[in-house]
Amino acid sequence: MTRMLSICRARPPRVVKRLAAAVISCGLLLTPVLVNPGLAAASTPDPAVWVGSPVNGRWPNRDDCAGAVFPSDLCSLPTVHHAVYPSSFDWGTSWGGDWAADDQGVYAGERVMLYAAPVNSGYNPTAHVDTVGPACRSGVIAYGGYRVTIGIYVGSTKIGTVTYAHINPTVYQGQWISRWGSRIGTVGSYTSNSCWAGPHVHVEMTSRHNYSCFSNIFTRYPGANLWESNFQGYLGGYYAGGPRQACA
């Protein structure tokens, strides 16, 4: 059973996705972010980027999912699993991703990789290590390791982020890395607690405009074998009309 305590439960309301309001999150009062409403949804979607699995293992299973609702600490499926990590964009900060899930069936020391590719020709995404920080709300590395948030750019525009948590990083914050086949870190082993109860990789994705979506394999074949670079979701584009939705 995979458990991970939400870092930031309170998030800006998404009546319009990218209009942020003052919220209390992680014990801090956040100043309202004033945003041009025209940025809330892109009239022309950002270029789409395909993101693959970081590990060999298993797609999350249905354990502890009966009756689960978002944000669930126990069910690892992307329809209800908690999405907790902040991502910064030109319009402000997103407190929690568009969806999140736990890749399971991994072992401590297994490599964690980045795989991202353009959906169409004509643009070449790049990858930047936006954040390396504690995975757990307590800030204690021994309780859950680190999270690494990668910004995916097309030109100078960050179209979205993908976060990998409960890992030991081999990259540093501010580093530019190859978008395909870069080693982000290794799966960690920590002290069992309410934030971490066994090796897994928490994957969380957020788009700058519209919503990131997840592969329907998550819900069609839970618990099936998972291989590095298997498709897990899109950043950019317009494949979902709301959070926690499978790609259309």
Side-chain angles (χ1 to χ4, degrees), residues 3-4 136 143-144 166 188-200:
R3 296 183 178 180
M4 176 180 170
C136 299
Y143 287 172
H166 304 304
S189 180
Y190 312 106
T191 301
S192 184
N193 65 98
S194 59
C195 178
W196 183 89
H200 67 281

Side-chain angles (χ1 to χ4, degrees), residues 24 30 46 55 100 107 115 141 159 168 173 202 204 212-213:
I24 296 177
L30 303 179
D46 292 325
V55 291
Y107 60 88
Y115 295 100
I141 300 304
I159 64 167
N168 298 324
Q173 188 166 310
H202 175 96
E204 186 167 322
S212 174
C213 64

Side-chain angles (χ1 to χ4, degrees), residues 142 152 175 184:
I152 302 297
Q175 181 180 3
I184 304 302

Side-chain angles (χ1 to χ4, degrees), residues 12 14 17-20 33-36 39-40 46 85-98 128 130-131 147 149-154 156-163 204-212 235-236:
R14 291 189 176 185
K17 182 183 181 190
R18 301 312 189 191
L19 289 180
V33 180
L34 301 179
V35 190
N36 179 349
L39 292 177
D46 292 325
Y85 296 109
S87 296
S88 61
F89 295 95
D90 50 3
W91 49 262
T93 299
S94 170
W95 290 96
D98 295 334
H128 179 263
D130 284 354
T131 306
R147 63 104 167 183
T149 296
I150 306 295
I152 302 297
Y153 289 75
V154 174
S156 61
T157 300
K158 180 161 65 176
I159 64 167
T161 63
V162 55
T163 294
E204 186 167 322
M205 290 174 58
T206 307
S207 281
R208 170 176 174 261
H209 288 130
N210 306 315
Y211 292 88
S212 174
L235 293 173

